[in-house]
Amino acid sequence: MKLLVTYDVCTVDKAGERRLRRVARACEDYGVRVQKSVFECTLGETDWVLLRTRLLAEMDEKQDSLRIYYLGLDIRIEHHGSAKPIDLTAPLII
């Protein structure tokens, strides 16, 4: 499966800096960095479960944000943490 993994880790304290390093290291173990917090991954089901479990264990749901874009015939987005995603299918009211 092809994935795009993006993250935003709050680094206002030392714990956040450590989380950022651990999240980046997890992504580096399974994918290729294409921007500072964006990784492209091509994974089998087992590796994907391992990476996803590792990322969710590292992040702080109240401060950090993790988005996974599943690429392929059935494109979908999975979001965890803060900064809830905008519903792009909803009407835009200006």
Side-chain angles (χ1 to χ4, degrees), residues 24-90:
R25 197 171 308 124
C27 289
E28 287 170 341
D29 287 348
Y30 290 92
V32 175
R33 184 187 300 262
V34 293
Q35 290 187 0
K36 288 187 178 186
S37 298
V38 180
F39 285 80
E40 292 176 354
C41 305
T42 303
L43 303 172
E45 191 66 35
T46 302
D47 282 339
W48 169 234
V49 169
L50 293 172
L51 175 58
R52 185 176 180 277
T53 301
R54 189 169 160 189
L55 291 173
L56 292 175
E58 294 295 349
M59 67 176 288
D60 180 336
E61 288 270 334
K62 293 181 180 146
Q63 298 182 62
D64 306 333
S65 178
L66 173 68
R67 291 181 66 118
I68 300 124
Y69 297 83
Y70 294 84
L71 308 174
L73 297 176
D74 181 28
I75 296 173
R76 65 185 174 96
I77 302 168
E78 181 179 327
H79 177 267
H80 300 275
S82 65
K84 297 298 178 199
I86 297 170
D87 182 1
L88 298 176
T89 61

